[in-house]
Amino acid sequence: MSDKVVAELQEPTPAVGDGGPDMIQLLTPEGQRVSHPDYDKYVADLTPEDLRSFYRDLVLIRRLDAEGYALQRQGELGLWPSLLGQEAAQVGSGRALKPHDFVFPTYREHGVGFVRGMDPQSSLQLFRGVSQGGWDPQENNFHLYTIVIGAQALHATGYAMGVRMDGNVGTGDPDRDTAVICYFGDGASSQGDVNEAFVYAASFDAPVVFFCQNNQWAISEPVEKQTRIPLFQRARGFGFPGVRVDGNDILATYAVTQHCLDEARNGNGPLLIEAYTYRMGAHTTADDPTKYRVSAEVEEWKFRDPILRLKTLLAHEGMADETFFANVDEEADRFAAELREGCVTMETMPGATMWDHVYAEDHPVMEAERAAYLAYKASFEEAN
């Protein structure tokens, strides 16, 4: 561990606050570009086309979220966990990944999956109940959604330990060195699984970046009930660095995540990122946030909207015009129509497929369970 890291770990811990002076920001809520000596270099090479593609991703993902919410309310999905307000945290971090990095999501990372090349219908399959996951994790290095709160932190740490044991970290070969990223929320930071993952990751120098989307509410409990210090400072107790980034700032999220992933690939992991953001909607469609938070808080966070601030930058700097924005909106309309059509017409996957991706290779226990299921199902057909 470097002297700089040791010095950071020994600094006094600040109190919980509204972002605070330690929060990394490159784009203000007003859409004004600001500089940061440590992170400017990670966005210096971004072209206007890159920024326009960022904006397109944000808009399409928000439309995916809105369509998922509407489909659930209309009885087409059993449940939908919204990411409204967290688009920049997901797009920025997702775009910082390399293809051979591996992602361990919660059940809310629809945006990360999208930028990783996932078919958006995959998550709809899961929440429609027609599949047990809907995708092969190896296809886009994107693990299945994890419903058990915090469990994916252990999975990610174990995978990262394997990466180190395979010698795929710190070699200096960019096509070989691999990082793992694990997403979880502020509520999950209180789970034993997450804290145990921190212990193992630190003990084995696992090349994993823990990405906490602090959306201020663990279902119905505010973040103040989870911690007395900023969440990113919790990493200090486990012996690795943490950083807080403005989670509604796509440039800062992209830069900070890229930096942390580079550190992990170079053998300097683990690291913790706290993306300071806000859950604009309900925890899931089974939740009613009006019962535990005031509307004034939601209204305040509307002024920090991640899409609006990037749109303001693009327009002010002459990198996009009204035609571009209109075209993106039209694409979003077509995207939503395709999502809806695909959802209402999708067929239920055969139940036996739930054993397909449990292990990388054939496994006798899985095959026995599959055979028992098929025999059980066949018994009903015989009875008829």
Side-chain angles (χ1 to χ4, degrees):
M1 188 176 296
S2 68
D3 292 340
K4 179 182 178 182
V5 170
V6 172
E8 290 175 352
L9 295 175
Q10 294 174 343
E11 291 177 357
T13 57
V16 175
D18 185 15
D22 293 320
M23 186 173 72
I24 308 302
Q25 189 176 79
L26 297 178
L27 187 61
T28 69
E30 295 76 26
Q32 180 181 0
R33 176 74 169 86
V34 292
S35 296
H36 192 284
D38 295 328
Y39 294 99
D40 280 345
K41 61 183 179 182
Y42 294 100
V43 297
D45 294 333
L46 291 177
T47 66
E49 180 58 32
D50 291 328
L51 297 180
R52 288 192 292 268
S53 69
F54 280 5
Y55 178 82
R56 172 184 174 274
D57 285 347
L58 293 174
V59 172
L60 292 184
I61 290 163
R62 179 165 291 184
R63 193 57 180 271
L64 164 64
D65 184 66
E67 201 62 30
Y69 187 93
L71 285 165
Q72 193 283 328
R73 286 296 189 244
Q74 294 161 8
E76 300 294 346
L77 299 179
L79 186 75
W80 183 253
S82 175
L83 59 76
L84 182 63
Q86 299 176 221
E87 297 90 352
Q90 296 198 14
V91 174
S93 60
R95 292 286 290 263
L97 292 159
K98 291 185 177 181
H100 55 280
D101 293 332
F102 210 101
V103 178
F104 286 82
T106 67
Y107 43 75
R108 200 185 303 275
E109 273 67 59
H110 322 309
V112 182
F114 180 83
V115 300
R116 292 291 282 176
M118 289 281 299
D119 181 354
Q121 295 289 347
S122 298
S123 58
L124 297 183
Q125 288 178 0
L126 175 63
F127 294 111
R128 190 171 171 83
V130 302
S131 81
Q132 300 297 319
W135 62 88
D136 179 355
Q138 300 296 329
E139 187 174 344
N140 295 289
N141 281 9
F142 188 84
H143 198 268
L144 296 177
Y145 280 176
T146 306
I147 305 300
V148 179
I149 305 299
Q152 71 279 7
L154 289 173
H155 306 157
T157 299
Y159 189 96
M161 289 166 61
V163 169
R164 174 170 284 281
M165 293 174 185
D166 287 341
N168 293 327
V169 61
T171 69
D173 182 353
D175 296 324
R176 178 178 175 182
D177 290 338
T178 302
V180 177
I181 190 167
C182 174
Y183 291 90
F184 58 91
D186 47 292
S189 70
S190 297
Q191 291 288 338
D193 284 3
V194 173
N195 287 269
E196 290 168 9
F198 286 178
V199 171
Y200 269 86
S203 298
F204 289 89
D205 292 326
V208 57
V209 175
F210 296 105
F211 193 97
C212 176
Q213 292 178 83
N214 176 7
N215 62 22
Q216 312 302 317
W217 288 94
I219 305 182
S220 59
E221 294 291 346
V223 69
E224 288 79 9
K225 296 285 188 179
Q226 308 296 322
T227 181
R228 292 187 176 184
I229 62 172
L231 290 175
F232 78 96
Q233 289 288 350
R234 281 187 169 182
R236 299 173 62 190
F238 297 90
F240 56 89
V243 60
R244 172 178 280 183
V245 62
D246 184 344
N248 286 16
D249 175 356
I250 190 169
L251 298 185
T253 305
Y254 173 81
V256 169
T257 308
Q258 194 175 125
H259 165 75
C260 290
L261 290 169
D262 284 346
E263 287 290 295
R265 296 188 199 102
N266 291 333
N268 298 322
L271 304 96
L272 170 64
I273 299 173
E274 177 194 355
Y276 198 81
T277 181
Y278 193 78
R279 192 192 78 214
M280 295 299 293
H283 177 72
T284 71
T285 46
D287 170 45
D288 180 6
T290 64
K291 293 183 179 297
Y292 54 80
R293 69 182 187 189
V294 297
S295 58
E297 180 180 287
V298 180
E299 292 300 315
E300 179 183 352
W301 275 89
K302 285 182 179 179
F303 292 104
R304 307 175 191 179
D305 183 84
I307 297 180
L308 181 58
R309 71 171 71 181
L310 181 57
K311 182 177 183 179
T312 301
L313 175 71
L314 291 172
H316 184 265
E317 298 297 328
M319 291 184 282
D321 56 20
E322 289 304 319
T323 300
F324 166 77
F325 296 125
N327 288 340
V328 172
D329 289 340
E330 291 176 4
E331 183 182 2
D333 290 339
R334 295 191 299 271
F335 180 58
E338 292 170 0
L339 285 171
R340 172 169 293 276
E341 177 67 17
C343 177
V344 300
T345 59
M346 65 177 54
E347 298 180 357
T348 301
M349 296 178 66
T353 60
M354 73 175 74
W355 287 277
D356 284 354
H357 303 300
V358 178
Y359 289 97
E361 300 175 354
D362 292 340
H363 193 284
V365 173
M366 297 295 102
E367 293 307 316
E369 290 182 353
R370 189 200 307 268
Y373 166 81
L374 291 173
Y376 175 74
K377 185 177 179 181
S379 69
F380 289 94
E381 299 174 356
E382 294 170 358
N384 294 330

